Amino acid sequence: MSLERALALAGGHAGRGYPNPTVGAVVVGTNGSVVGEGISEPAGGPHAEVVALDAAGEAARGGTLFVTMEPCAHHGRTPPCAERIIEAGVGRVVAGCADPNPDAQGGAPRLRDAGVDVELLDLPAARRQNEAWRTWVARGRPHVMLKLAVSVDGRVAVPERRWVTGEESRRRVHELRASVDAVAVGMGTVRADAPRLDVREAPVVRQPRRLAFGGGPLPDGSELELRSGALRDELAALAAEGVQSLLLEGGPTLATAFLADSLVDRLLVFVAPVVAGDGPPMTGPLPEPLDLGVPELERVGDDVLLGWRLQEV
Ligand SMILES: NC(=O)c1ccc[n+]([C@@H]2O[C@H](COP(=O)([O-])OP(=O)(O)OC[C@H]3O[C@@H](n4cnc5c(N)ncnc54)[C@H](OP(=O)(O)O)[C@@H]3O)[C@@H](O)[C@H]2O)c1
């Protein structure tokens, strides 16, 4: 239950720790009651464990710390959480998932060495709270979410129609845009549709960067940034600029290139109730069929949203 509470604390504040992960922590005292809670403070501020231990004070001694991710073992902008936990005299730590950051990991073995009982879990719910950050820190590229809108016969454009999917799906896409650091299309989509790619139909704290992959040129007045290098190089460069999450809204050509190069982490396909009969298919040829597994399913207005995680850190 306390780990669920820690997950709920962090889940309610997605992105708060950016560019660090957002973590939740709960300290339960020896009498079984919650004596401290914490969420990661914005970068440079204390980590969730420290906030919770500060709140708990002496009541943490002999108690259990529930935390959504393995406590760090390194001196970043703040001292290592593992040392603070040892000093506080916590008897047991339950962590929802391992820390994938090569510079910070090692908290669990450090705690065990100091005699703390550590239970290191691998809960998808814990990992997914920071999935973009995990991909960014472990793979050196942004987490890529490929979104496609298709007809029942798998075409990305329907003759005589401006949009493939309905209004609610399009609003959902604006929510997706609001949740990422950057949105991108290929130059084919720029030439066909000249999309703005900004968030207009959802609340947004920070507009995502808006990119076009390809040789260009961009049309006059376009506010997109042109990225003309090889995809992997551009993704590495974006990661170095702090882009942890990328929503790809391009057409079939760019979608095929990303899929063929195993650069898609999450695939979202909005299927509209129409048989287009004509128009471009959602991908070109791939080196081999992609076995996606069981989808997550959701009705969005008259459309159906299918979602898969193709790779997870
Ligand atoms: N339903 C949907 O989800 C959806 C979404 C977007 C677009 N569309 C539709 O899709 C159609 C446009 O399709 P599209 O395939 O031309 O658009 P696209 O995939 O967005 O753009 C293709 C362009 O991407 C650039 N590119 C950059 N890196 C590449 C790489 N590694 N491999 C291949 N291309 C790369 C190239 O630009 P350069 O030529 O400049 O080199 C290429 O021409 C339009 O009808 C549009 O309405 C549908």
Side-chain angles (χ1 to χ4, degrees):
M1 280 311 281
S2 300
L3 192 55
E4 279 169 26
R5 172 71 187 147
L7 285 166
L9 286 171
H13 293 81
R16 176 178 159 115
Y18 177 88
N20 294 329
T22 299
V23 172
V26 172
V27 183
V28 174
T30 47
N31 66 357
S33 57
V34 171
V35 292
E37 292 188 339
I39 307 168
S40 319
E41 292 289 341
H47 291 183
E49 299 91 317
V50 174
V51 177
L53 289 170
D54 283 348
E58 269 307 300
R61 201 157 290 282
T64 301
L65 170 71
F66 294 87
V67 58
T68 54
M69 193 173 83
E70 178 185 6
C72 71
H74 85 321
H75 269 279
R77 273 187 272 190
T78 57
C81 291
E83 301 309 322
R84 177 73 177 78
I85 293 165
I86 294 162
E87 270 166 38
V90 169
R92 181 169 167 248
V93 171
V94 180
C97 59
D99 184 342
N101 182 357
D103 296 333
Q105 61 196 188
R110 172 70 192 103
L111 290 165
R112 285 188 186 120
D113 283 351
V116 180
D117 178 15
V118 179
E119 205 178 322
L120 184 55
L121 306 172
D122 183 32
L123 302 179
R127 282 190 276 106
R128 288 173 187 174
Q129 284 192 333
N130 291 297
E131 65 183 342
W133 172 82
R134 294 177 77 84
T135 298
W136 180 72
V137 83
R139 304 226 156 120
R141 64 164 175 81
H143 179 269
V144 175
M145 191 155 54
L146 169 61
K147 164 255 145 188
L148 290 162
V150 301
S151 60
V152 168
D153 51 338
R155 299 176 194 267
V156 295
V158 178
E160 311 300 328
R161 261 166 78 154
R162 175 153 185 228
W163 310 105
V164 178
T165 46
E167 206 177 311
E168 287 187 40
S169 293
R170 298 201 304 276
R171 191 164 45 241
R172 176 64 72 85
V173 171
H174 281 252
E175 287 169 10
L176 290 171
R177 287 179 185 172
S179 74
V180 295
D181 299 327
V183 180
V185 293
M187 272 308 298
T189 299
V190 174
R191 288 188 283 262
D193 304 332
R196 282 168 54 184
L197 300 181
D198 56 342
V199 183
R200 301 183 298 279
E201 292 173 32
V204 62
V205 177
R206 188 169 47 119
Q207 284 285 348
R209 284 173 62 175
R210 293 168 289 152
L211 320 172
F213 288 106
L218 288 167
D220 286 348
S222 170
E223 292 181 359
L224 306 186
E225 294 171 44
L226 189 63
R227 311 290 306 209
S228 300
L231 295 182
R232 281 188 182 270
D233 294 347
E234 291 294 356
L235 290 180
L238 288 166
E241 292 163 20
V243 175
Q244 297 185 354
S245 50
L246 176 70
L247 174 65
L248 197 60
E249 292 192 40
T253 310
L254 200 60
T256 304
F258 270 77
L259 285 168
D261 212 359
S262 301
L263 287 172
V264 178
D265 300 293
R266 197 166 173 202
L267 174 62
L268 295 174
V269 181
F270 291 83
V271 184
V274 58
V275 177
D278 195 7
M282 67 176 246
T283 71
L286 288 167
E288 56 190 32
L290 262 181
D291 204 346
L292 299 171
V294 180
E296 285 174 15
L297 272 178
E298 192 187 335
R299 281 189 74 137
V300 183
D302 293 341
D303 304 326
V304 176
L305 171 58
L306 302 171
W308 294 270
R309 283 184 170 81
L310 306 189
Q311 44 192 332
E312 288 191 76
V313 175

